[in-house]
């Protein structure tokens, strides 16, 4: 009986130690940082921009990167991500940080998101981010590293027609929502999980992409806000983040 008791105690202590390790790895580091912090080099996977030019995330070295997963045929959270990035661009310009912080969105839907489609989405929505795609294998590697799940599902019933092809959608891609901040070395430093929460209502060009054009963004407590991303980018620029 005593052996079983000590075994139970040992299991409990091991569980506590494991949880403590996870919390320590993702701890926050003061009021200037709103997301979980860490410090790991992001792999240089082959990507392509909206003009079809090959690139990698290393192209942004020297700048803090605010990165989000998205897909151009999203009808739920991604239009809000674009709305938040539009606000981020304006806020960064007001703080004279536009040349020190890069806004980047990388697709979770490489089958549809060709360079031509990325360019059309940018023209349609005014998305100010650098929009990137790549091969399925390359993107799987990037998203696996960042912990972003992306799952292709068949649409039942069909959603509204694809804005790019004007054909019925045949599938959707569910994915983890969040924003990932990379430091000037290309290391993943801050993660805030959850959908984007823009401060202003979406413009008509973004609302029409939603399944429900009258949908409102989630509450600030459920996702990341423009203020969160700005504060965390500023913390990285001023080296106030320690993992």
């Amino acid at each position: 009986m005593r052996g079983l008791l000590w075994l139970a105690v040992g299991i409990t202590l091991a569980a506590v130690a494991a949880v403590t390790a996870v919390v320590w790895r993702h701890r926050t580091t003061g009021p200037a940082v709103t997301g979980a912090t860490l410090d790991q080099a992001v792999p240089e996977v082959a990507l392509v921009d909206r003009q079809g030019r090959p690139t990698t995330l290393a192209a942004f070295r020297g700048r803090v990167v605010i990165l989000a997963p998205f897909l151009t045929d999203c009808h739920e959270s991604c239009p809000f991500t674009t709305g938040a990035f539009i606000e981020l661009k304006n806020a960064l310009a007001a703080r004279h940080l536009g040349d020190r912080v890069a806004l980047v969105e990388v697709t979770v839907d490489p089958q549809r998101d060709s360079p031509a489609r990325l360019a059309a989405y940018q023209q349609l929505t005014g998305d100010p981010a650098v929009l990137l795609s790549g091969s399925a294998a390359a993107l799987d590697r990037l998203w696996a590293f960042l912990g972003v799940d992306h799952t292709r599902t068949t649409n039942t019933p069909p959603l509204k027609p694809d804005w790019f092809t004007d054909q019925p959608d045949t599938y959707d891609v569910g994915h983890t929502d969040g924003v990932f901040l990379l430091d000037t070395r290309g290391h993943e430093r801050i993660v805030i999980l959850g959908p984007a929460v823009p401060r202003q209502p979406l413009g008509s060009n973004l609302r029409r992409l939603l399944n429900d054009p009258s949908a409102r963004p989630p509450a600030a407590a459920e996702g990341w806000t423009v203020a969160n991303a700005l504060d965390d980018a500023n913390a990285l620029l001023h080296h106030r983040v320690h993992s």
Side-chain angles (χ1 to χ4, degrees), residues 73-157:
D73 203 35
C74 177
H75 301 284
E76 296 176 348
S77 62
C78 298
F80 291 113
T81 300
T82 296
F85 270 53
I86 291 171
E87 294 178 12
L88 271 170
K89 178 187 177 183
N90 295 332
L92 288 167
R95 296 186 181 195
H96 306 289
L97 296 175
D99 61 342
R100 300 182 65 191
V101 179
L103 304 178
V104 179
E105 293 176 67
V106 183
T107 186
V108 294
D109 185 15
Q111 289 79 13
R112 281 185 295 214
D113 281 340
S114 64
R117 187 176 176 114
L118 294 180
Y121 179 84
Q122 199 150 47
Q123 182 175 11
L124 174 70
T125 64
D127 193 327
V130 177
L131 305 182
L132 299 175
S133 188
S135 69
L139 293 173
D140 283 348
R141 183 183 175 208
L142 175 64
W143 295 132
F145 175 85
L146 293 174
V148 172
D149 181 51
H150 52 107
T151 305
R152 178 168 165 162
T153 59
T154 302
N155 286 333
T156 307

Side-chain angles (χ1 to χ4, degrees), residues 32-105:
V33 175
T34 56
T37 64
L38 54 163
D39 189 350
Q40 52 187 2
V42 177
E44 292 187 14
V45 302
L47 301 170
V48 62
D49 67 16
R50 67 172 194 154
Q51 294 176 307
R53 298 175 302 194
T55 188
T56 70
L57 292 177
F60 304 100
R61 295 282 169 80
R63 288 182 284 173
V64 166
V65 175
I66 301 176
L67 183 150
F70 92 118
L71 63 153
T72 62
D73 203 35
C74 177
H75 301 284
E76 296 176 348
S77 62
C78 298
F80 291 113
T81 300
T82 296
F85 270 53
I86 291 171
E87 294 178 12
L88 271 170
K89 178 187 177 183
N90 295 332
L92 288 167
R95 296 186 181 195
H96 306 289
L97 296 175
D99 61 342
R100 300 182 65 191
V101 179
L103 304 178
V104 179
E105 293 176 67

Side-chain angles (χ1 to χ4, degrees), residues 12-23:
T12 301
L13 290 175
V16 170
V19 171
T20 301
V22 171
V23 171

Side-chain angles (χ1 to χ4, degrees), residues 118 181 187 198 235:
L118 294 180
L181 278 78
H187 284 209

